[in-house]
């Protein structure tokens, strides 16, 4: 099994220094400023904004500014999605103007609402068009440009190595590969060995993504893919510390700030909730926070009665939600799944 020590090393991405090699994946509707700050605080080497539609950003649509604004972290990385070169270039220019240190191009999202507009992983169906977007972005910003992709559209078109090689030739400074095709969505097991073919095709850093949830899985991914770094996504549901925990394991230490008692977990969840209310405002914050609260309950309080869960996820008064959270997460430790906090 591969030693994890290398994950603790810094990584240079086009002149931008990343403190370690375990990253938080961009996740739409999840990796907002409040979540990224937590993941960074726990030790994630790099955190990425949730996907921003370049067309909406270019047109000044409401909400886009919040997604791209600088959160005060050492490296600000913004991910853009789109189909039109003009919009991608303008979106990149706006993001860089807001302080983005790295611009990532989304060519991996499998969601129908994205691929239906011929963006995300649908771009892997037309590599010439995909390259036109890359060239448009690289040509308009001075900051490093990266690309996140899948293995291909389906098993009959595993063209990630070709796209990665052409992207490098166009000036891309790092590629991330999710070890599934678009048509797999998130079904089955990520094919980490297939990522090795991308690594062989380029000289820039390659980041492996897909089914990385623990230090043991991180070691297996590195061994099978030969990747330079790892990106962790859905394992963070209800646990913003996972990437940081893997990075800490590479040095034989512990990720800072992980709640280890019922009281600490209570305070952690409540603080995250309050930060989301402050970020979005009460009305929107209540809606945005519910998925996170649901994941905290699923992960750390599986035995909570359905009535309590429903009350937490439907209450419209923040004070009521907080009171219910404190009741649930402050109960006898035996009712809490605190082991999953580590």
């Amino acid at each position: 099994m591969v030693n994890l020590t290398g994950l603790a090393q810094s990584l240079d991405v086009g002149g931008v220094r990343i403190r370690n090699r375990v990253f938080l994946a961009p996740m739409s509707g999840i990796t907002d400023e409040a979540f990224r700050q937590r993941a960074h605080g726990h030790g994630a080497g790099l955190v990425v904004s949730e996907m921003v539609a370049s067309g909406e950003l270019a047109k000044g649509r409401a909400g886009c500014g919040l997604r791209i604004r600088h959160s005060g972290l050492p490296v600000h990385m913004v991910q853009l999605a789109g189909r039109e070169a003009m919009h991608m270039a303008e979106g990149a220019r706006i993001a860089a103007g807001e302080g983005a240190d790295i611009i990532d191009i989304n060519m991996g999202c499998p969601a129908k609402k994205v691929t239906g507009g011929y963006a995300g992983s649908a771009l892997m169906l037309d590599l010439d068009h995909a390259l036109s977007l890359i060239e448009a972005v690289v040509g308009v910003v001075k900051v490093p440009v990266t690309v996140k992709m899948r293995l291909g559209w389906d098993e009959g078109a595993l063209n990630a190595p070709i796209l990665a090689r052409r992207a490098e030739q166009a000036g891309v400074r790092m590629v991330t590969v999710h070890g599934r095709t678009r048509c797999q969505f998130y079904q089955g097991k990520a094919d980490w060995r297939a990522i090795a073919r991308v690594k062989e095709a380029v000289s820039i850093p390659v980041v492996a993504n897909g089914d990385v949830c623990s230090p043991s899985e991180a070691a297996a991914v590195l061994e099978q893919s030969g990747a330079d770094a790892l990106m962790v996504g859905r394992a963070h549901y209800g646990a913003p510390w996972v990437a940081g925990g893997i990075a800490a394991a590479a040095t034989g230490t512990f990720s800072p700030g992980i709640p280890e008692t019922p009281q600490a977990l209570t305070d952690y969840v409540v603080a995250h909730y309050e930060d989301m209310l402050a970020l979005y405002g009460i009305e929107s914050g209540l809606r945005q926070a519910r998925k996170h609260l649901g994941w905290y309950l699923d992960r750390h309080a599986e035995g909570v009665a359905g009535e309590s869960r429903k009350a937490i996820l439907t209450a419209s008064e923040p004070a009521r939600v907080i009171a219910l959270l404190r009741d649930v997460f402050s109960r006898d430790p035996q009712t809490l799944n605190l082991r999953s906090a580590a």
Side-chain angles (χ1 to χ4, degrees):
M1 190 68 73
V2 171
N3 190 301
L4 292 178
T5 305
L7 292 177
Q9 298 175 357
S10 63
L11 180 67
D12 182 274
V13 178
V16 177
R17 180 181 175 276
I18 312 301
R19 63 178 179 174
N20 67 54
R21 301 182 181 218
V22 189
F23 308 158
L24 169 69
M27 292 180 282
S28 183
I30 300 170
T31 55
D32 57 22
E33 184 176 311
F35 199 95
R36 296 196 307 273
Q37 288 179 332
R38 276 170 172 70
H40 181 269
H42 291 303
L46 180 66
V47 298
V48 190
S49 79
E50 52 188 318
M51 179 179 66
V52 182
S54 59
E56 294 185 2
L57 179 59
K59 295 173 183 176
R61 295 284 173 80
C64 291
L66 189 62
R67 291 188 172 197
I68 68 166
R69 79 176 186 184
H70 204 296
S71 58
L73 299 178
V75 178
H76 182 44
M77 186 170 179
V78 173
Q79 187 186 69
L80 297 177
R83 173 73 180 180
E84 302 296 331
M86 177 180 66
H87 290 157
M88 289 293 288
E90 179 62 10
R93 187 193 65 76
I94 294 171
E98 290 294 321
D101 299 294
I102 303 174
I103 303 292
D104 186 62
I105 300 175
N106 184 314
M107 294 189 177
C109 180
K112 291 182 179 179
K113 66 179 181 180
V114 176
T115 59
Y118 301 103
S121 54
L123 292 168
M124 299 191 75
L125 291 168
D126 185 346
L127 296 193
D128 288 341
H129 184 69
L131 263 292
S132 73
L133 304 187
I134 291 172
E135 290 166 352
V137 173
V138 171
V140 79
V141 296
K142 295 182 179 179
V143 300
V145 176
T146 64
V147 174
K148 190 172 189 291
M149 64 184 72
R150 289 206 163 209
L151 296 177
W153 179 259
D154 58 26
E155 291 295 326
L158 301 178
N159 56 1
I162 300 172
L163 175 57
R165 184 167 57 248
R166 293 184 66 181
E168 179 181 20
Q169 292 168 350
V172 162
R173 310 305 292 270
M174 180 175 76
V175 295
T176 299
V177 185
H178 184 115
R180 290 182 175 88
T181 66
R182 183 273 174 182
C183 289
Q184 285 181 276
F185 285 86
Y186 296 99
Q187 300 301 311
K189 184 70 175 175
D191 186 351
W192 300 326
R193 294 189 187 280
I195 298 174
R197 291 193 285 274
V198 179
K199 176 62 181 171
E200 293 167 358
V202 298
S203 59
I204 55 177
V206 173
V207 185
N209 176 223
D211 297 340
V212 185
C213 303
S214 66
S216 61
E217 286 167 327
V221 176
L222 292 176
E223 182 176 44
Q224 295 179 34
S225 70
D228 302 283
L230 303 177
M231 183 171 277
V232 186
R234 292 171 296 150
H236 285 100
Y237 290 2
W241 47 78
V242 172
I246 294 173
T251 60
T253 58
F254 295 97
S255 173
I258 294 179
E260 297 179 350
T261 66
Q263 184 60 54
L265 182 61
T266 301
D267 293 341
Y268 188 97
V269 174
V270 169
H272 190 177
Y273 179 67
E274 291 177 331
D275 284 350
M276 292 194 71
L277 297 181
L279 179 65
Y280 294 107
I282 300 299
E283 183 177 353
S284 179
L286 282 167
R287 296 193 305 272
Q288 297 282 352
R290 283 170 181 158
K291 56 181 170 288
H292 293 281
L293 298 183
W295 290 326
Y296 282 125
L297 291 170
D298 290 343
R299 191 158 190 152
H300 309 293
E302 296 176 287
V304 171
E307 307 81 52
S308 295
R309 179 188 176 90
K310 181 178 179 180
I312 289 172
L313 300 183
T314 59
S316 58
E317 291 292 331
R320 172 65 173 158
V321 175
I322 290 172
L324 290 167
L325 287 171
R326 290 199 177 280
D327 176 60
V328 165
F329 287 110
S330 298
R331 293 177 186 174
D332 188 291
Q334 292 182 353
T335 69
L336 296 172
N337 186 18
L338 285 177
R339 289 183 180 179
S340 67

